[in-house]
Amino acid sequence: MSTPTVPRVTTGHAPRLDDVDGWLQLIDAVRESGLYPTPSKAEQVTRTVLAALGTHVTGDERVDLARALPGEAARLIASQIPATHRLTAAQFVDEVASRTPGATPATARWDVSSVLGVLSSLIGDDLVTRVLAQLPPGYALLFGRADLTPAS
């Protein structure tokens, strides 16, 4: 399986791609990552996951995340009303499942991991680390990172 081609951002600013081209590249990368049969399925999954993520990332990280994404993805993140309570990673997956017709927790976890894994490669390690610092433990795996917890 080939690795999806997504422009990597290391400066915190999005590459100057045409919004439509950047969005289509993002959708294509999610389609490849998640092995979705059609671009429309990949787009539906991407929209659902980004909208859910947009409710849980706030402050400078939310602004920087939106700046690092193609226009349509940025709008999905920025247009969400911040949640009043933080969800665990499992609750976040359940929230995505509730927004996706016919989804199960297993398919929603696949969807979330497919989108956030691509997002991780797009926005760069520094911003992923900052976003993860805002979220409860457990999200790192959804972004394709090891979730290391100190032994007690």
Side-chain angles (χ1 to χ4, degrees), residues 25-118:
Q25 286 178 7
L26 175 62
I27 296 305
D28 191 49
V30 169
R31 186 187 58 74
E32 287 181 32
S33 174
L35 303 174
Y36 297 106
T38 65
S40 63
K41 176 62 178 172
E43 181 172 4
Q44 178 263 319
V45 165
T46 302
R47 286 181 179 282
T48 301
V49 173
L50 290 180
L53 182 64
T55 65
H56 297 288
V57 178
T58 59
D60 290 341
E61 287 71 24
R62 181 183 175 124
V63 171
D64 291 345
L65 180 58
R67 284 183 184 153
L69 296 173
E72 183 61 21
R75 284 185 285 281
L76 284 166
I77 295 286
S79 68
Q80 303 308 309
I81 297 170
T84 56
H85 65 284
R86 295 168 22 129
L87 297 179
T88 66
Q91 290 169 327
F92 180 79
V93 168
D94 289 344
E95 179 182 319
V96 169
S98 74
R99 296 177 179 210
T100 308
T104 66
T107 60
R109 188 180 193 306
W110 180 267
D111 293 345
V112 169
S113 294
S114 296
V115 174
L116 296 184
V118 168

Side-chain angles (χ1 to χ4, degrees), residues 3 20 83 118-119:
T3 304
V20 173
V118 168
L119 195 73

